[in-house]
Amino acid sequence: MAGGRERRERTQRPWSVYRANTFELSSEMIGLALAGNSQDPDEPVLEFSVACTELATPALERKPNSFVAVSCTTPPQAFWTKHAQTEVIEGTSNPMFLSSIAFFQDCNINPQTQVKLAVYDVKDRSQGTMYMLGSALFAVKELLQEKSHRLELELRSAENQRVGKVTVTAWQMEDRADHRMSVRSLPESINGRTVLPVDESLTESMGVRIKYASLCKDSLLRSVFGGTMSRMYRFPTTDGKHLRVLEQMAESVLSLNIPRQFVKLLLEEDAARVCELEELGELSPCWENLRQQIVSQYQSITLAYQETLSDLSNYRGPSFKASNLKADKKLEFMPTNLHVQRMRVQDELGFEHTYDVITIGAPAAHCQGFKSGGLRKLIQKFEEAKKHALSSSQSIVYIPQDIIRAKEIIAHINTLKTQVNYYAERLSRAAKDRSASGLERTLAILTDKTHQLVTVCDCKLLASAIQALNAARPEYIASKASPTTEPEQVVLRNDQDTLLAKWSGRNSRSSLHVDWHEEEWEKVWVNVDKSLECIIQRVDKLLQKERRPSSSSLDCTQHDLQGGSSKKGEEKRRAFWINPGSLSQDSLSSEPPPPSSSLPPYSSSSPALSSSARPPSPEQENYGSPSAEEAYPGEWSEALYPLLTTLTECVAMMTDKAKKSMVFLLMQDSAPTIAMDVSLQYRRDVVFCQTLTALICGFIIKLRNCLRDNGFLRQLYTIGLLAQFESLLSTYGEELAMLEDMSIGVMDLRNVTFKVTQATGSSAPDMLPIITGNRDGFNVRIPLPGSMFDALPREIQSGMLLRVQPVHFNVGINEQQTLAEKFGDTSLQEIINVESLSRLNSYYEQFKEVLPEDCLPRSRSQTCLPELLRFLGQNVNARKNKNVDILWQAAEICRRLNGVRFTSCKSAKDRTAMSVTLEQCLILQHEHGMAPQVFTQALDCMRSVGTREGVIQKNLSGLLPVRDLRLDPSLMYSLPLLALSPNLLVVWIFLSVAYFLAKVRCS
């Protein structure tokens, strides 16, 4: 009983506090201990901490600034491989290092692996001068077999002199060994009882339930992120315990995948715009010249997009884009240094906490330069040039609201036309199947969509645009019925030297009203309404006859006539029926139909009549006549087909004319400044693509981490996702223009929506996001595996569009910002911060209105969110130089509001590393109780040996595409010396070739 109680107490303790077991491990158990943990794939297979004592230096008056470099080799490998190193601890002979040495599953170590610890003394950190004090060697097997898993080794110098001691302490051995024994190494039977093996498929389902998702092993994250780097730390807490911290950093394949999709969409959009302009038909010479200029500009930008798409498609290098490639024309749509930075904290109670930040070089058009400023200044110049051009032009001037409305009308027309045609086809199928319920249900939807389309087309802006398009034809003659006995005719002819049409006739242009044109356009959309009314009447009559077969045809006819005469506004809105097949798109028949019927005749191409054996009588040629039903009893599809044909043809004529008029309106608006417009749009596309890529990465990792957080999911589909961008750009020189670019790119994210779908397969390409839409609005579809998709709430599963609320705070912190604060202008930074503060407050107000407080994550902070927002507002309005409190408070508010964090500077290297590591240490101290006395050492540890150092090394060490095979410049320094000795030259050539091959292999 005592043994059982002791075992039960031991299993309740968190695994992170165990250092060793008290019994000696067998070789089988050692192998299990090094096999890794299937439940936590990011857990190292071996982790140990290092401490040194009694370090001696040749200069007795100076204490060493030491660090430990760890190398390993596994037989039969005959050379040492550097694995990791600790941080530098200055001015002590007894350093205790906070960074632990971790071997993960991909290290492939075994009990025979030899580990070498080399202790170095750094004389000058700025110059990088150092020398090795001494080294020690041990085998992994020795550490695992030691009862306490603790080794004390003597450090020996190159002269084999004792220079101190190094202590190696292994962590978390017992829990892993017990877990491996319980899961994999149990025998099939114990004391005669059968033991069932654990089904490994349960591991995957359990992986959905846990809050933490591995960057390396999770099926969704693994398809998006790669090249993961990991570092381990052990930080003491205020209560004498330890925090286990796993720091990770990964690249994203979306750095290349998203730009490819985005440029392809832009190419399709601009190509479609050229087709729309070319389909306007014949225009007068002045308008034709303008159209050709606009088409020429779009064609040139289309060629640029085609070249960019070709470069991106042919690119075979890594998806990571180094900072020295940020001005590369071929890769300008790719974000610079895009990474996800993750910190995973496990406290003494075993609770997991994960903090993610997306780091990215400031989204900007580096390839296009910054001599003329960034997007904010260029947009301001463009608007001023446009006002000047329109004020001096003789063409019609449209206000910005008209331009926005015109784009909306085009989008609505395209969508509703497709829907009307779709439901007309479904109505025809329902009639063919003689499904009364399907007929009623589909007719209701068709009626609603058609009424929406008519409502969109019934607007004054559309009527005036149609009039302008008609007036732009080479010769346009308008006739107006005059109440006087003498008819009046006004002829409108386009002058070749001006954009304004000249009116000739008795009256001036001002005396001619536009009533005739409005009536002419009204005939078009009224025809659609009347066609729909005919279909409704016919369906009602078919259903009535189906339900009451004894009803006489005469009663039905009278019912139709009464129903048709009782329609609201019948006398005011007469039907001007036309035959779309026999008339041109720009001409309308103003002759009213025969008084015997208010319905159009059959089209000559209608198969319902051409296929009949006997020709119909004249009475049967009217839609309002019930004779068709009598001639073809029970044939619903033949009775509805001509009506549906007429409806779709009238809808096609109306939408075609409306869309052309809106395209012409947009052409009028863009004509004076088309060259500047296209150039500005290209720059905006480049910046937006980089920002969008980062946003998609942040959305995916946030969604995966919070897949079981019902509060976050409810917040997501109710008020959208908060995306907080933090930038450290100065407001001086080129970085001021970069800040202008980035602020517009972040603002444009308001036009982005997300939609979560179920992945069609389990492979990585099946789970990559898909972008649709155009510049007016992009939608990103996020495929999830079936098990993850099933965990989502019904609202998200049904395809609800998820919005984004972006905010952007900037504080310059480098020496250039000092110049800007003393001699320059910081107004842009102040404007950006004030605008973002307003949007952040608005987002929180929306949250309070519709969501409870328990949707938000818990925090140990004593400051509530309203107080944090108030402090942030005070700092934003304080006009204090380099007020980094703005960044810290905005970051904490974002985390407390379930937001996604983004951090950037010019290249996402030095300043970004400083910001991210400082944020991580602040989180450890405020949220997890890290001891304050080790704050500075922990910060220096993360900055010197953490994953952010890996970003700097990747940008400096040439881990670039294989096509970049330049030699290291340091190899060229010794060329003058080598020329003096042929033997040295041969050695240098041999080493250079070896370096070259190693570089290619690393790439």
Side-chain angles (χ1 to χ4, degrees):
M1 291 295 293
R5 184 167 55 253
E6 179 184 356
R7 178 63 183 167
R8 189 162 54 251
E9 291 176 357
R10 225 168 59 183
T11 56
Q12 291 175 354
R13 295 173 61 191
W15 59 266
S16 57
V17 302
Y18 288 109
R19 294 196 175 185
N21 202 348
T22 55
F23 60 89
E24 185 173 354
L25 293 177
S26 65
S27 59
E28 180 184 4
M29 292 296 295
I30 292 176
L32 292 172
L34 297 177
N37 187 348
S38 62
Q39 295 297 319
D40 189 356
D42 287 336
E43 180 184 341
V45 297
L46 175 63
E47 180 190 2
F48 59 84
S49 294
V50 179
C52 297
T53 55
E54 304 174 4
L55 292 180
T57 59
L60 300 179
E61 70 280 358
R62 188 182 68 85
K63 293 184 178 180
N65 305 323
S66 57
F67 73 92
V68 179
V70 180
S71 303
C72 62
T73 181
T74 301
Q77 181 176 310
F79 55 89
W80 293 95
T81 302
K82 182 178 179 180
H83 178 72
Q85 72 179 50
T86 66
E87 73 276 15
V88 178
I89 298 182
E90 299 181 343
T92 178
S93 298
N94 304 299
M96 296 183 65
F97 301 97
L98 296 180
S99 60
S100 59
I101 308 302
F103 291 86
F104 295 90
Q105 296 181 23
D106 56 354
C107 295
N108 297 323
I109 63 170
N110 59 41
Q112 283 71 40
T113 300
Q114 297 287 321
V115 180
K116 181 170 69 174
L117 307 177
V119 181
Y120 288 84
D121 177 21
V122 181
K123 286 188 174 181
D124 188 347
R125 296 187 70 171
S126 61
Q127 299 294 329
T129 57
M130 65 186 75
Y131 69 96
M132 187 174 72
L133 284 175
S135 62
L137 186 69
F138 70 92
V140 171
K141 185 177 182 179
E142 297 175 9
L143 179 63
L144 299 180
Q145 288 181 337
E146 187 69 25
K147 292 184 178 181
S148 62
H149 293 290
R150 181 186 181 97
L151 296 177
E152 290 189 2
L153 307 173
E154 284 192 352
L155 290 172
R156 293 287 177 174
S157 66
E159 294 79 15
N160 200 26
Q161 296 180 354
R162 184 180 180 278
V163 292
K165 292 183 179 180
V166 58
T167 302
V168 181
T169 306
W171 294 91
Q172 63 190 57
M173 299 307 303
E174 177 179 336
D175 180 80
R176 184 184 295 109
D178 292 343
H179 172 78
R180 287 300 174 184
M181 279 295 295
S182 62
V183 175
R184 290 189 178 181
S185 299
L186 286 176
E188 296 182 357
S189 62
I190 299 178
N191 296 331
R193 295 183 180 181
T194 303
V195 178
L196 298 177
V198 177
D199 186 1
E200 295 186 358
S201 64
L202 296 178
T203 303
E204 298 181 2
S205 61
M206 289 177 60
V208 180
R209 298 190 183 97
I210 61 175
K211 183 177 180 181
Y212 171 73
S214 169
L215 287 175
C216 303
K217 301 298 182 181
D218 183 78
S219 58
L220 176 63
L221 298 184
R222 187 175 54 189
S223 65
V224 176
F225 301 102
T228 305
M229 300 176 59
S230 301
R231 298 289 186 270
M232 296 291 300
Y233 310 96
R234 296 281 176 162
F235 296 136
T237 60
T238 54
D239 55 0
K241 299 179 181 179
H242 281 83
L243 290 174
R244 176 183 181 270
V245 179
L246 170 64
E247 185 186 30
Q248 291 183 308
M249 183 191 65
E251 307 167 6
S252 176
V253 298
L254 300 185
S255 295
L256 186 61
N257 179 271
I258 296 300
R260 285 174 177 169
Q261 295 188 55
F262 182 76
V263 174
K264 187 176 181 180
L265 288 177
L266 299 181
L267 186 60
E268 294 173 354
E269 181 181 353
D270 288 344
R273 189 170 299 175
V274 171
C275 293
E276 291 173 351
L277 289 171
E278 292 176 344
E279 291 173 356
L280 282 179
E282 188 177 2
L283 299 176
S284 62
C286 55
W287 286 111
E288 182 62 32
N289 292 336
L290 281 180
R291 175 167 63 176
Q292 292 304 321
Q293 293 177 17
I294 296 175
V295 169
S296 177
Q297 291 290 336
Y298 281 127
Q299 287 176 342
S300 64
I301 204 67
T302 299
L303 292 176
Y305 287 132
Q306 288 176 343
E307 183 179 356
T308 300
L309 183 59
S310 176
D311 292 334
L312 292 174
S313 300
N314 296 330
Y315 178 72
R316 293 296 179 266
S319 56
F320 165 74
K321 176 184 172 183
S323 60
N324 61 346
L325 297 176
K326 58 178 174 286
D328 190 337
K329 175 69 176 176
K330 296 181 178 179
L331 306 178
E332 63 178 335
F333 281 84
M334 290 178 60
T336 303
N337 270 337
L338 177 63
H339 292 87
V340 57
Q341 177 79 18
R342 164 170 287 189
M343 182 177 69
R344 178 187 174 192
V345 185
Q346 187 178 58
D347 56 23
E348 291 294 327
L349 299 177
F351 293 110
E352 293 277 353
H353 304 272
T354 303
Y355 304 91
D356 292 319
V357 179
I358 305 298
T359 60
I360 178 180
H366 295 275
C367 185
Q368 302 178 39
F370 306 100
K371 291 183 179 180
S372 301
L375 274 175
R376 278 185 177 254
K377 185 177 294 183
L378 292 174
I379 290 174
Q380 183 179 359
K381 290 180 180 179
F382 170 74
E383 292 175 351
E384 293 175 354
K386 191 171 186 178
K387 290 180 181 178
H388 176 73
L390 292 177
S391 62
S392 60
S393 174
Q394 297 178 341
S395 60
I396 301 176
V397 179
Y398 294 97
I399 60 176
Q401 290 80 359
D402 289 342
I403 304 304
I404 297 175
R405 178 60 180 158
K407 294 180 179 179
E408 292 176 351
I409 289 175
I410 293 177
H412 291 327
I413 287 175
N414 290 334
T415 302
L416 290 172
K417 178 185 176 182
T418 303
Q419 291 176 346
V420 168
N421 291 336
Y422 171 74
Y423 287 109
E425 177 65 24
R426 284 190 58 179
L427 188 66
S428 177
R429 292 180 183 177
K432 185 177 181 180
D433 297 338
R434 295 188 64 88
S435 172
S437 60
L439 208 62
E440 289 180 332
R441 185 171 56 252
T442 307
L443 179 61
I445 301 176
L446 177 64
T447 302
D448 178 61
K449 298 300 181 183
T450 307
H451 285 165
Q452 290 183 31
L453 182 59
V454 171
T455 302
V456 169
C457 294
D458 182 17
C459 66
K460 292 184 178 180
L461 178 63
L462 197 50
S464 62
I466 290 175
Q467 178 190 356
L469 178 58
N470 290 335
R473 301 301 179 188
E475 183 172 343
Y476 180 74
I477 301 178
S479 61
K480 174 186 175 184
S482 177
T484 61
T485 56
E486 182 179 357
E488 178 185 10
Q489 184 177 22
V490 182
V491 179
L492 174 64
R493 297 182 182 276
N494 284 299
D495 194 288
Q496 296 185 2
D497 300 328
T498 178
L499 296 181
L500 280 180
K502 302 297 183 180
W503 285 88
S504 61
R506 293 188 177 184
N507 298 333
S508 64
R509 183 180 184 182
S510 60
S511 65
L512 182 66
H513 303 288
V514 297
D515 295 342
W516 186 89
H517 303 284
E518 293 180 356
E519 292 176 0
E520 196 75 8
W521 169 239
E522 185 180 1
K523 297 174 187 177
V524 178
W525 58 264
V526 166
N527 280 339
V528 176
D529 247 353
K530 289 297 182 181
S531 299
L532 180 64
E533 290 177 9
C534 294
I535 294 176
I536 295 174
Q537 293 175 13
R538 178 51 59 90
V539 171
D540 288 342
K541 188 167 60 175
L542 290 174
L543 294 177
Q544 289 175 7
K545 194 171 184 64
E546 179 76 9
R547 293 163 185 164
R548 294 179 296 175
S550 60
S551 299
S552 63
S553 61
L554 179 60
D555 294 337
C556 294
T557 305
Q558 291 177 352
H559 173 76
D560 287 346
L561 293 176
Q562 293 174 0
S565 62
S566 62
K567 294 297 179 180
K568 184 178 179 180
E570 178 66 24
E571 295 180 358
K572 182 179 178 180
R573 293 169 52 183
R574 298 180 59 196
F576 294 84
W577 291 104
I578 55 179
N579 187 348
S582 61
L583 297 179
S584 64
Q585 294 178 350
D586 299 320
S587 63
L588 293 171
S589 174
S590 60
E591 296 182 2
S596 61
S597 174
S598 61
L599 301 173
Y602 277 111
S603 171
S604 60
S605 61
S606 298
L609 295 184
S610 61
S611 62
S612 62
R614 55 180 181 178
S617 62
E619 291 81 3
Q620 294 174 348
E621 293 180 0
N622 294 328
Y623 286 158
S625 173
S627 304
E629 220 177 304
E630 298 173 356
Y632 305 98
E635 293 296 333
W636 288 7
S637 60
E638 293 187 3
L640 287 179
Y641 182 85
L643 298 175
L644 292 174
T645 301
T646 303
L647 174 65
T648 54
E649 289 177 348
C650 289
V651 165
M653 175 180 291
M654 179 182 69
T655 54
D656 181 71
K657 199 170 189 68
K659 186 176 179 180
K660 285 183 178 179
S661 64
M662 291 294 96
V663 170
F664 183 72
L665 185 150
L666 296 177
M667 188 186 84
Q668 287 178 281
D669 178 72
S670 62
T673 55
I674 183 60
M676 186 181 298
D677 187 9
V678 170
S679 175
L680 179 63
Q681 187 62 63
Y682 185 85
R683 186 185 189 99
R684 197 165 187 168
D685 292 338
V686 170
V687 175
F688 178 74
C689 183
Q690 299 175 18
T691 316
L692 176 64
T693 305
L695 176 66
I696 296 175
C697 289
F699 182 90
I700 291 175
I701 199 167
K702 183 67 176 180
L703 179 65
R704 179 61 187 93
N705 288 344
C706 300
L707 201 61
R708 292 289 176 175
D709 188 344
N710 294 327
F712 166 77
L713 296 174
R714 182 180 175 187
Q715 177 184 348
L716 179 62
Y717 69 74
T718 304
I719 61 175
L721 177 70
L722 176 64
Q724 189 249 327
F725 286 80
E726 168 191 303
S727 59
L728 306 167
L729 297 170
S730 66
T731 56
Y732 185 85
E734 287 189 349
E735 289 197 10
L736 176 61
M738 296 179 197
L739 182 58
E740 293 180 3
D741 280 356
M742 181 176 179
S743 63
I744 296 297
V746 172
M747 182 180 64
D748 287 343
L749 293 179
R750 291 179 293 182
N751 297 328
V752 177
T753 57
F754 287 87
K755 181 179 179 181
V756 183
T757 61
Q758 186 169 354
T760 58
S762 58
S763 62
D766 295 327
M767 284 177 279
L768 291 177
I770 302 172
I771 309 176
T772 58
N774 52 42
R775 293 183 179 94
D776 296 326
F778 288 96
N779 178 258
V780 184
R781 297 203 305 270
I782 307 296
L784 292 184
S787 57
M788 298 181 189
F789 185 78
D790 294 338
L792 296 173
R794 184 179 63 257
E795 290 82 357
I796 298 180
Q797 287 185 358
S798 63
M800 179 181 288
L801 296 183
L802 310 175
R803 297 171 294 165
V804 176
Q805 178 60 273
V807 294
H808 177 203
F809 291 93
N810 180 83
V811 175
I813 61 173
N814 63 354
E815 64 279 358
Q816 289 187 341
Q817 184 64 22
T818 305
L819 297 176
E821 291 167 349
K822 290 184 177 181
F823 310 107
D825 183 15
T826 61
S827 59
L828 176 61
Q829 175 175 289
E830 296 166 2
I831 292 172
I832 291 173
N833 292 342
V834 169
E835 291 175 350
S836 295
L837 175 65
S838 176
R839 289 198 294 270
L840 191 57
N841 281 319
S842 175
Y843 183 85
Y844 181 62
E845 291 299 324
Q846 293 179 37
F847 177 88
K848 290 194 301 182
E849 290 177 3
V850 297
L851 293 170
E853 289 290 334
D854 57 5
C855 288
L856 299 178
R858 296 180 180 179
S859 173
R860 293 178 59 179
S861 174
Q862 300 298 320
T863 308
C864 60
L865 268 172
E867 284 295 303
L868 275 175
L869 286 166
R870 187 173 64 84
F871 293 153
L872 178 61
Q874 292 175 354
N875 281 303
V876 167
N877 297 313
R879 298 179 180 271
K880 177 183 176 182
N881 292 343
K882 296 185 180 179
N883 191 358
V884 293
D885 290 341
I886 293 176
L887 302 180
W888 299 342
Q889 291 168 356
E892 184 175 356
I893 292 171
C894 175
R895 289 193 299 270
R896 301 267 294 269
L897 283 175
N898 276 323
V900 182
R901 291 264 298 116
F902 303 84
T903 299
S904 66
C905 61
K906 181 178 180 179
S907 300
K909 291 188 297 186
D910 300 331
R911 280 172 282 178
T912 299
M914 292 172 63
S915 174
V916 168
T917 51
L918 179 60
E919 179 181 356
Q920 291 179 166
C921 288
L922 288 172
I923 291 174
L924 290 173
Q925 183 175 1
H926 295 162
E927 297 292 340
H928 302 285
M930 185 180 71
Q933 60 267 24
V934 299
F935 182 90
T936 303
Q937 184 183 352
L939 182 62
D940 181 70
C941 177
M942 287 185 172
R943 289 178 175 177
S944 59
V945 298
T947 57
R948 298 312 303 182
E949 181 67 17
V951 176
I952 299 175
Q953 293 298 325
K954 286 200 297 184
N955 281 268
L956 298 180
S957 63
L959 293 180
L960 302 175
V962 178
R963 57 183 176 82
D964 187 6
L965 299 177
R966 295 169 294 179
L967 294 177
D968 194 319
S970 61
L971 296 177
M972 308 301 292
Y973 295 159
S974 56
L975 280 178
L977 177 64
L978 296 177
L980 300 177
S981 172
N983 294 333
L984 289 177
L985 182 60
V986 172
V987 173
W988 176 83
I989 293 175
F990 176 78
L991 293 177
S992 299
V993 171
Y995 172 83
F996 179 82
L997 295 176
K999 186 174 181 180
V1000 171
R1001 182 181 179 184
C1002 292
S1003 301

